[in-house]
Amino acid sequence: MLPWHYLCVLILLFSSVVTIKAEEENGRWKERMEEEMKRILEIVEKQTKVIRRQDSEIAALKNRIDTLEDRAPSKAKEETQSGQQTSIKRTKPKANQFIDTLKDNHSPPKGVQRRFLDGSPGHQTPVAFYAYISKDFTHVGDNHMFVFDTIVTNSGHAYNNYSGVFTASSSGLYAFAYSIAVAGHHISGDTDSQYGEISVQLVRNATPYGSIAADTERASDDEMATGFAILYLDAGDIVKVTAKGQGQGSFLSSRYEHWSFSGFKIQ
């Protein structure tokens, strides 16, 4: 075999290794994102249980204080008029002081406001969602809006799996992630002679705020890409994933890869 034949073989081997590593990295990044979102939801649930328990304890203590205050006047009737006035003056400030102490212990430190993932102080329903497209597809036109039909998580019900649109229920800071996959083969119904290639964008209302692309030029050479963005949204703003232009070839979203769209409210 001629030397340049050896060189060609080495180049092909190196390209295969790089492609495999890239696919592994994309898979691991996606798994880390899903694990992080699950961890955040677990933290929120634990925090909610603690706050509910503390609210119950404060309500019980206040009932006890009200009972003591009701008993104080009847006991004071047995004392002289001056003694009665003194007793009332001493009892009420102590009771109020005790309530204030409970409130201070229950409240966050000065300058810190308790917030949940939906951004509302004291609200107990976090806003977070994760959805994916359930099957492989082809034929994507200009400005096509993708509908991620299968919901895994939709806390707060802000994502619509029929329209593919996320709607902010309140103003605040939000985080979004979106993933795509193109095929190095042709699925049923694909009449394009080219292999998978597409560019998509994350759109707030009508303005793009991020884009990713995936392209494969060889048979069996599937490709993936993932984008991440942090956006400030006003209540009623919508966020969606659309095609920047016409796609070519086939797109994978079934057994090994998924087109996915996810997000949550930071504060």
Side-chain angles (χ1 to χ4, degrees):
M1 183 179 293
L2 297 177
W4 62 273
H5 288 161
Y6 287 112
L7 179 60
C8 291
V9 171
L10 289 174
I11 291 173
L12 289 174
L13 288 173
F14 178 75
S15 299
S16 300
V17 170
V18 170
T19 299
I20 293 171
K21 288 184 177 180
E23 293 175 349
E24 292 176 349
E25 288 296 327
N26 282 333
R28 286 195 294 269
W29 190 93
K30 181 179 177 182
E31 291 175 357
R32 287 197 298 269
M33 285 294 301
E34 293 175 353
E35 292 174 356
E36 184 63 17
M37 290 186 66
K38 290 180 181 179
R39 187 184 68 81
I40 291 173
L41 289 176
E42 290 174 355
I43 292 173
V44 170
E45 291 175 356
K46 290 179 180 179
Q47 187 183 24
T48 300
K49 291 179 181 179
V50 171
I51 290 173
R52 286 175 177 172
R53 185 174 65 252
Q54 291 177 339
D55 287 340
S56 298
E57 292 173 354
I58 285 181
L61 288 172
K62 188 163 187 319
N63 287 335
R64 290 184 59 188
I65 292 170
D66 292 338
T67 300
L68 291 173
E69 289 181 340
D70 291 337
R71 290 178 180 176
S74 60
K75 184 177 180 180
K77 288 180 180 179
E78 300 175 0
E79 302 175 355
T80 62
Q81 185 67 26
S82 60
Q84 181 182 18
Q85 294 176 352
T86 302
S87 176
I88 294 174
K89 289 180 180 179
R90 289 178 179 176
T91 302
K92 287 189 176 180
K94 288 182 179 180
N96 292 335
Q97 183 179 6
F98 184 52
I99 293 174
D100 292 339
T101 301
L102 288 176
K103 289 181 178 179
D104 291 339
N105 292 335
H106 182 65
S107 300
K110 186 176 181 180
V112 177
Q113 189 177 27
R114 182 186 296 112
R115 288 188 177 271
F116 292 80
L117 290 180
D118 74 338
S120 301
H123 199 284
Q124 298 179 3
T125 302
V127 173
F129 76 98
Y130 169 57
Y132 63 87
I133 297 177
S134 59
K135 60 183 179 180
D136 299 340
F137 59 98
T138 185
H139 303 305
V140 173
D142 292 340
N143 298 315
H144 175 80
M145 188 170 73
F146 298 99
V147 177
F148 300 84
D149 59 293
T150 302
I151 290 177
V152 178
T153 301
N154 196 16
S155 179
H157 305 286
Y159 174 73
N160 187 321
N161 64 321
Y162 295 101
S163 64
V165 171
F166 171 84
T167 304
S169 57
S170 59
S171 300
L173 201 60
Y174 292 79
F176 297 96
Y178 52 112
S179 297
I180 63 176
V182 298
H185 60 273
H186 300 288
I187 66 172
S188 177
D190 181 7
T191 57
D192 195 335
S193 61
Q194 303 293 324
Y195 292 124
E197 178 181 356
I198 196 168
S199 177
V200 305
Q201 57 192 358
L202 186 72
V203 178
R204 173 198 176 204
N205 297 330
T207 305
Y209 281 91
S211 63
I212 55 176
D215 179 19
T216 178
E217 301 292 344
R218 295 188 299 274
S220 301
D221 182 20
D222 302 336
E223 290 288 343
M224 290 189 69
T226 297
F228 185 77
I230 296 177
L231 302 176
Y232 183 87
L233 303 181
D234 293 321
D237 282 353
I238 64 171
V239 178
K240 56 189 176 181
V241 178
T242 66
K244 291 185 69 174
Q246 185 174 357
Q248 67 179 35
S250 300
F251 310 103
L252 301 177
S253 191
S254 55
R255 184 176 180 183
Y256 297 108
E257 302 95 350
H258 276 120
W259 281 57
S260 65
F261 183 28
S262 59
F264 59 92
K265 185 169 188 182
I266 301 173
Q267 65 177 13

